[in-house]
Amino acid sequence: MSTIHLVRHGEVDNPEGILYGRLPHFGLTDRGHAMAARVARHFAETATTPVELVASPLLRTQQTIAPLATSLDLPVFTDDRVIEAANSFEGQKVGVRHLAEPKNLVRLYNPLTPSWGEPYKQIVLRMRAAIASLRAKLSHHGPDAEGVIVSHQLPIWMTRLSGEGRSLVHDPRRRECDLASITSFTFDSSTLVSVSYESICADLQPGTPVAGA
């Protein structure tokens, strides 16, 4: 059995509260770095430590995986396929009043796709492809090898919903994907046999929702 852990990045320094999406230069807060350090400790103390590390190209994911890479003395492979979802509201403050403006209402005509961003199905396809590539690499390390991918909330949540056979259409407020949380996928060859979730930084979560995470 091989296991791939999808880790969400730590808290991002975003004092203006904008939807930062794929914008560059959004790094971690001090608390975010503390989350990254805990992720490193968590995997260093497990019975089977990861042998392959992957992260999205964005600064916040690279900073989250860095302590783990240092702890395990492993290189980090950057994979564009696990990047944050594209969103037409990127760079803006998104609130009820903002969304109600006519220029923005036209983007909200189909929440099932969604019409304002990257289609959910497309996110799943690219995440699955990245996971398949990592599984192939893990096969060279033995049958029980583990790998880590540091990604973003929506891609991780879409992958979980798909893996559990649930609808991709969802309420964003109900995503079970805390900052620096771990969603694990265990495979028997190419067959997904289990999905599990652990919030290892539950005590470090901010008191208000994080925009653009």
Side-chain angles (χ1 to χ4, degrees), residues 10-12 28-37 64:
E11 183 185 55
V12 175
L28 300 181
T29 61
D30 289 344
R31 180 161 52 185
H33 283 292
M35 292 176 178
T64 300

Side-chain angles (χ1 to χ4, degrees), residues 1-25:
M1 300 275 187
S2 62
T3 300
I4 293 177
H5 306 281
L6 299 188
V7 178
R8 185 182 172 195
H9 60 78
E11 183 185 55
V12 175
D13 188 10
N14 180 24
E16 295 183 1
I18 70 169
L19 183 68
Y20 43 77
R22 295 179 176 180
L23 294 175
H25 312 309

